[in-house]
Amino acid sequence: MRQLIGAIYVSFGFLFYLLDNIQGYYPSISEKWITYIFIFVGFTYLFIDLRSYIKKKFNNY
């Protein structure tokens, strides 16, 4: 489930990031911070899920 949530956060973060490059679109400062927060939270979710997967795999031995 964390993989799905992380992927959604990363997707929306990159969507907002790509919106900055559209001609005639001027994002506010807070919108840029929200973009970076979305990307950071998404990668954090993915990292936590990967870490728990590795712990489960190596604790069985």
Side-chain angles (χ1 to χ4, degrees):
M1 189 68 173
R2 284 188 194 141
Q3 292 173 350
L4 179 65
I5 294 169
I8 290 171
Y9 274 116
V10 171
S11 298
F12 274 107
F14 280 116
L15 175 72
F16 294 146
Y17 177 74
L18 291 175
L19 279 176
D20 292 348
N21 297 327
I22 291 178
Q23 198 172 27
Y25 179 75
Y26 302 105
S28 63
I29 299 292
S30 62
E31 200 169 326
K32 287 184 179 184
W33 279 103
I34 290 171
T35 301
Y36 296 129
I37 289 171
F38 265 77
I39 293 171
F40 177 74
V41 169
F43 280 123
T44 304
Y45 268 108
L46 293 175
F47 177 74
I48 289 170
D49 191 47
L50 179 65
R51 189 178 66 179
S52 67
Y53 172 75
I54 290 171
K55 279 184 180 180
K56 281 182 191 177
K57 186 167 180 123
F58 289 114
N59 282 340
N60 290 335
Y61 291 114

